[in-house]
Amino acid sequence: MKTKHLFVPALDVGEALPFAAKVKGKLAEDLDDQERCKEELVKFIDTLEKNFKEPIWYMGMDVIGEKSYERFIFDKGGFFEIMTENPIAMNAHFVHASRSRSFLSALKKTLKQIMSDSGVADLFISSLEVQTEKDSQLTVSKWHELNDLSKP
């Protein structure tokens, strides 16, 4: 079987994205924060859509294990998934190199627009790149390992 998979992974280890949830432990505060996060995610996708210059369609939310995924599909092919727990993990998937490069450029531009200006944001944005199926992919188990390393 022939395969071709290009992807743009992003892991917000510094927890600098504005749609990252901040667990406070009180139900009312957590619900308010979830609403804030959803609004920030919508702003992010709207800005990304403008920078990518094509419609991005919402596919819905999935919960797999203990992880929540927001999923989107690109009008001209490819899809985007965001694991919404900290640290936020994003993965965009394509079969054409030109589309993956265009998305990467739009994503970087969008992140510069929505993130506060800091060394952490610059490092995060500069680390983004297009990868292929031969590269190491971000999996849930790798996410757990990285999440454990980021805890004091």
Side-chain angles (χ1 to χ4, degrees):
M1 175 172 41
K2 197 189 249 190
T3 64
K4 185 174 184 183
H5 178 218
L6 300 140
F7 58 100
V8 178
L11 181 65
D12 181 25
V13 178
E15 298 180 7
L17 287 170
F19 50 91
K22 317 251 186 303
V23 177
K24 297 180 171 78
K26 293 183 180 177
L27 182 59
E29 290 177 0
D30 287 347
L31 290 174
D32 287 345
D33 195 54
Q34 284 180 0
E35 188 61 34
R36 179 198 60 79
C37 291
K38 191 67 128 178
E39 290 170 9
E40 291 292 336
L41 179 61
V42 168
K43 281 196 261 185
F44 166 70
I45 294 296
D46 287 347
T47 304
L48 181 60
E49 185 176 54
K50 287 176 188 146
N51 290 331
F52 196 35
K53 297 180 175 78
E54 94 176 52
I56 299 174
W57 303 99
Y58 183 62
M59 293 173 57
M61 183 179 95
D62 286 322
V63 177
I64 301 172
E66 70 278 4
K67 304 292 172 233
S68 301
Y69 296 86
E70 298 283 353
R71 294 216 167 94
F72 304 86
I73 192 164
F74 303 120
D75 199 57
K76 297 177 184 173
F79 71 96
F80 188 39
E81 57 190 355
I82 302 172
M83 188 181 350
T84 56
E85 284 80 19
N86 273 324
I88 289 175
M90 301 184 284
N91 245 327
H93 304 270
F94 302 93
V95 294
H96 300 289
S98 60
R99 298 220 4 96
S100 60
R101 287 190 304 268
S102 293
F103 176 81
L104 176 61
S105 176
L107 178 63
K108 286 183 174 189
K109 182 177 181 180
T110 301
L111 292 172
K112 286 176 185 172
Q113 291 172 324
I114 68 159
M115 294 177 81
S116 58
D117 207 14
S118 71
V120 172
D122 293 341
L123 184 61
F124 174 58
I125 293 166
S126 68
S127 73
L128 302 176
E129 61 184 18
V130 175
Q131 297 184 359
T132 71
E133 68 267 5
K134 294 175 184 145
D135 293 312
S136 176
Q137 295 185 35
L138 178 62
T139 63
V140 172
S141 62
K142 285 183 188 175
W143 181 91
H144 279 293
E145 289 174 25
L146 291 168
N147 191 28
D148 289 342
L149 288 175
S150 69
K151 292 180 182 173

